Amino acid sequence: MEPVNRTVASEFLLKGFSGYPALEHLLFPLCLAMYLVTLLGNMAIVAVSALDARLHTPMYFFLGNLSILDICYTSTFVPLMLVHLLSSQKTISFIGCAIQMCLSLSTGSTECLLLAIMAYDRYLAICRPLRYPMLMSHQLCLLLAGAAWALCLIKSATETVIAMKQPFCGHRVVSHFTCEILAVLKLACGDTSVSEAFLLVGAILLLPVPLALICLSYALILATVLRVPSAAGRRKAFSTCSAHLAVVLLFYSTVISMYMKPKSKEAHISDEVFTVLYAVVTPMLNPVIYSLRNKEVKEAARKVCGSRQGCK
């Protein structure tokens, strides 16, 4: 039996959509537009939430966190992806790949927890309105958000270190447009069972469990809303809940399809399409669904813009 040719990887080639030149030309303007909308929309939410004292509430604190998270999440790979869509040189250094992997895993994992925390916050606000200020205190908000960010960073750093310590054999062509951990592990010639076990445990804890909590929270919210005597109030609540759930289900369904499907050595274009859906489209929709449709945010934005024009 011939020995396996093990090499120390110095860089990786991100294959991406290079097999589909026409698709690359279509994706560049689409992804650039979505990225700019994501940046502008989420930065606007962060600015308005910080500048208007009326929005210094738990709901908008978590929305601000979500906006910062979406900016960080998309910025870990979209700028490089846009460069690669226009270039024939699609390489990334080993260190750059590890950093990109860790940050995208961390921010993506944090979003899973943050969406569940936001659903729980809405449950308390609607179903326990009298006790809400006491139950969702400023200290608890900081603790929940800080714990989500810190735990997911530790988890993702551990997964990245284990994955990148693997020996890589033969070619170093990653069949993806980013250093997605599953795509990188397909190049490893060592035993990847430890990495796969970590990913499976993390996927179970961060996908079905938070999704179940989100669905339970919104089910209880809808049960409370049905008892509201005002028909207009019920319609508004149903509209808001359905929009929130649509974004949550889009995000979770695409991530679950990526991380909880049977493992395969074969690369599929659907993997990259799913990544675009949950990592580019969802962060763009979040400001629209969660904030820009909100009357309080619109009024705060007009107030901030008006005060700036007055200063000029």
Side-chain angles (χ1 to χ4, degrees):
M1 184 174 180
E2 295 182 2
V4 178
N5 182 23
R6 300 188 180 190
T7 57
V8 178
S10 59
E11 64 178 21
F12 292 97
L13 175 66
L14 300 177
K15 183 180 177 182
F17 299 97
S18 56
Y20 308 87
L23 184 59
E24 283 190 321
H25 295 144
L26 175 65
L27 280 174
F28 179 80
L30 285 176
C31 289
L32 176 60
M34 288 190 289
Y35 182 55
L36 292 176
V37 171
T38 299
L39 290 181
L40 293 174
N42 284 291
M43 285 192 292
I45 297 305
V46 173
V48 169
S49 299
L51 293 173
D52 195 306
R54 293 176 300 175
L55 301 185
H56 293 175
T57 63
M59 174 182 173
Y60 293 104
F61 170 77
F62 292 127
L63 284 174
N65 268 266
L66 182 65
S67 293
I68 294 171
L69 191 62
D70 283 339
I71 292 170
C72 296
Y73 189 24
T74 54
S75 296
T76 59
F77 65 90
V78 172
L80 184 61
M81 180 186 76
L82 292 172
V83 171
H84 285 174
L85 286 173
L86 296 180
S87 172
S88 57
Q89 190 72 14
K90 305 178 189 293
T91 58
I92 184 172
S93 68
F94 181 85
I95 296 297
C97 184
I99 292 173
Q100 187 184 72
M101 182 187 295
C102 180
L103 292 179
S104 60
L105 278 173
S106 175
T107 49
S109 300
T110 305
E111 181 147 350
C112 292
L113 292 182
L114 194 58
L115 289 172
I117 293 170
M118 291 169 66
Y120 176 65
D121 171 70
R122 290 299 81 206
Y123 158 73
L124 290 180
I126 295 172
C127 302
R128 299 287 185 271
L130 298 179
R131 300 186 61 198
Y132 177 67
M134 181 180 65
L135 293 174
M136 191 56 72
S137 64
H138 181 65
Q139 291 77 11
L140 181 59
C141 291
L142 291 174
L143 178 63
L144 290 173
W149 283 85
L151 291 175
C152 289
L153 179 60
I154 294 170
K155 163 195 162 292
S156 302
T158 303
E159 291 172 344
T160 300
V161 169
I162 295 173
M164 299 305 279
K165 277 191 171 184
Q166 293 289 333
F168 297 97
C169 309
H171 71 84
R172 292 185 289 276
V173 180
V174 180
S175 297
H176 214 286
F177 56 79
T178 181
C179 280
E180 200 276 325
I181 189 167
L182 294 177
V184 173
L185 282 175
K186 289 177 181 178
L187 306 181
C189 55
D191 182 11
T192 60
S193 58
V194 175
S195 284
E196 290 173 1
F198 264 90
L199 287 173
L200 180 60
V201 172
I204 292 172
L205 293 177
L206 292 173
L207 295 173
V209 174
L211 182 57
L213 293 175
I214 290 171
C215 292
L216 176 61
S217 296
Y218 278 109
L220 294 172
I221 288 171
L222 290 175
T224 301
V225 168
L226 287 173
R227 295 195 291 268
V228 173
S230 168
R234 286 198 301 270
R235 281 197 299 272
K236 181 180 178 181
F238 276 123
S239 173
T240 302
C241 289
S242 61
H244 289 189
L245 280 175
V247 174
V248 167
L249 291 176
L250 173 64
F251 177 79
Y252 276 96
S253 60
T254 50
V255 176
I256 287 173
S257 69
M258 279 285 295
Y259 287 92
M260 299 198 72
K261 67 179 182 181
K263 299 294 183 294
S264 170
K265 286 286 183 181
E266 297 297 323
H268 300 285
I269 189 68
S270 61
D271 293 345
E272 295 171 69
V273 173
F274 283 142
T275 304
V276 170
L277 284 175
Y278 75 75
V280 180
V281 177
T282 304
M284 179 188 68
L285 293 177
N286 280 342
V288 179
I289 298 299
Y290 283 103
S291 302
L292 298 181
R293 295 171 74 246
N294 191 301
K295 186 178 178 180
E296 289 178 324
V297 174
K298 290 179 182 178
E299 290 178 354
R302 281 195 291 267
K303 179 182 175 183
V304 170
C305 293
S307 63
R308 288 194 171 185
Q309 289 176 356
C311 291
K312 292 180 180 179

